[in-house]
Amino acid sequence: MPRGSTREADLFDKLNAILSLFSDEKPEWAPAAAARALRLPRSTAYRLLARMAGSGLLDQDDDSGRYRLGIRLAALGSLAQRSSSLQRAAAPVLRALAGESRETASLMVRGGAEGVTVLIAASQQPLMVPGQIGGRVPLHASAGGKVLLAFMPDDLRSTLFTDLFTAQTSTTITDPAVLTRHLADIRTAGYATGRGEWIDGVYAAAAPVRSFTGEVIGALSVGGPRARVTDERLQVLVKLVTAAAAEVSSAVGHVPR
């Protein structure tokens, strides 16, 4: 094994061992106790704990100095829990959507002020929309992200607004008042479209996926290059993705009222 790979594996083992210390029975660890449990030199253990706290994976109590799992891990855990069953339900629908539309289809969930792609069914056409599992997009800059933003509770949307409005392309909405009106239109229509707001020349349509409680837990999107997705074709994609999102919603227990 290359030397660099050995070091990376060793670091991963140490980080994994640190995270494995925490449990319901032992949710907090003093640095010295953690070093003893890990059988690491104190300097090494202290350095790793501090770096993990700096990245948000751990939190350190200012008074006791003890470490606990950080809010970033809690958010990632919640994201994984939400997305896993949703992915299973969406996978066959997404493949069918990509096949019928002949464009790239994806499933997005919210991670903070970003939309996170958790599932992709790629277009089989030579010219296709780039995408990857785990890819992140600011919520205001894509069709799927705007769906998630439009249908979230008002108070949550208000808190996220401070992290938005960075221009990604020349068509990204960067005016809060304009975006607020646009999101109201999305709620009324029940879907969103994107016209090159994240990647120049890429048009897409997206619709919400709802849980059994009616909460919007994800967004299905389908889109492609402007050369194929004309305004007329975009309306066809709207119908396809709306039907697909309703099918996924039904699969996870949503019953329309």
Side-chain angles (χ1 to χ4, degrees):
M1 181 182 290
R3 187 176 180 182
S5 298
T6 303
R7 288 178 177 173
E8 289 173 5
D10 182 57
L11 176 60
F12 178 83
D13 288 343
K14 286 186 174 70
L15 296 178
N16 184 55
I18 290 173
L19 293 176
S20 297
L21 289 175
F22 298 90
S23 65
D24 289 338
E25 295 73 27
K26 187 76 171 176
E28 294 186 340
W29 283 82
R36 289 194 297 271
L38 295 165
R39 297 182 179 179
L40 289 174
R42 283 195 176 193
S43 59
T44 300
Y46 285 23
R47 184 175 66 253
L48 289 172
L49 290 167
R51 287 184 177 178
M52 293 176 73
S55 66
L57 297 176
L58 299 178
D59 287 335
Q60 186 177 29
D61 186 272
D62 291 335
D63 296 324
S64 69
R66 291 174 175 267
Y67 286 93
R68 66 177 73 89
L69 294 179
I71 190 65
R72 183 179 177 191
L73 274 180
L76 289 173
S78 176
L79 175 61
Q81 189 176 42
R82 293 199 311 271
S83 63
S84 58
S85 59
L86 181 57
Q87 285 172 283
R88 288 194 295 272
V93 180
L94 211 62
R95 289 193 294 269
L97 176 60
E100 186 173 2
S101 67
R102 301 190 67 216
E103 302 294 353
T104 296
S106 62
L107 170 65
M108 176 181 286
V109 299
R110 187 178 69 84
E114 297 175 311
V116 183
T117 300
V118 295
L119 199 61
I120 292 177
S123 168
Q124 297 303 307
Q125 302 201 64
L127 183 60
M128 58 179 286
V129 176
Q132 61 180 1
I133 301 296
R136 290 175 172 265
V137 181
L139 289 174
H140 69 296
S142 72
K146 289 188 295 184
V147 162
L148 296 174
L149 196 56
F151 289 98
M152 67 175 56
D154 292 342
D155 56 345
L156 176 57
R157 188 186 314 109
S158 296
T159 63
L160 292 178
F161 257 39
T162 58
D163 296 322
L164 301 177
F165 306 113
T166 300
Q168 309 297 322
T169 70
S170 61
T171 59
T172 306
I173 299 174
T174 58
D175 185 320
V178 173
L179 182 61
T180 297
R181 291 193 296 270
H182 186 53
L183 296 177
D185 291 340
I186 290 170
R187 288 191 293 274
T188 299
Y191 65 86
T193 58
R195 291 174 166 81
E197 294 157 48
W198 172 240
I199 300 175
D200 280 318
V202 172
Y203 277 33
V209 176
R210 296 182 181 274
S211 71
F212 71 97
T213 65
E215 175 191 5
V216 172
I217 56 175
L220 286 194
S221 301
V222 61
R226 179 70 170 123
R228 287 196 303 267
V229 185
T230 61
D231 287 337
E232 182 178 359
R233 178 62 179 162
L234 186 60
Q235 292 309 306
V236 174
L237 297 185
V238 165
K239 293 180 181 179
L240 293 177
V241 77
T242 301
E247 186 176 350
V248 177
S249 298
S250 177
V252 296
H254 177 63
V255 178
R257 294 180 180 178

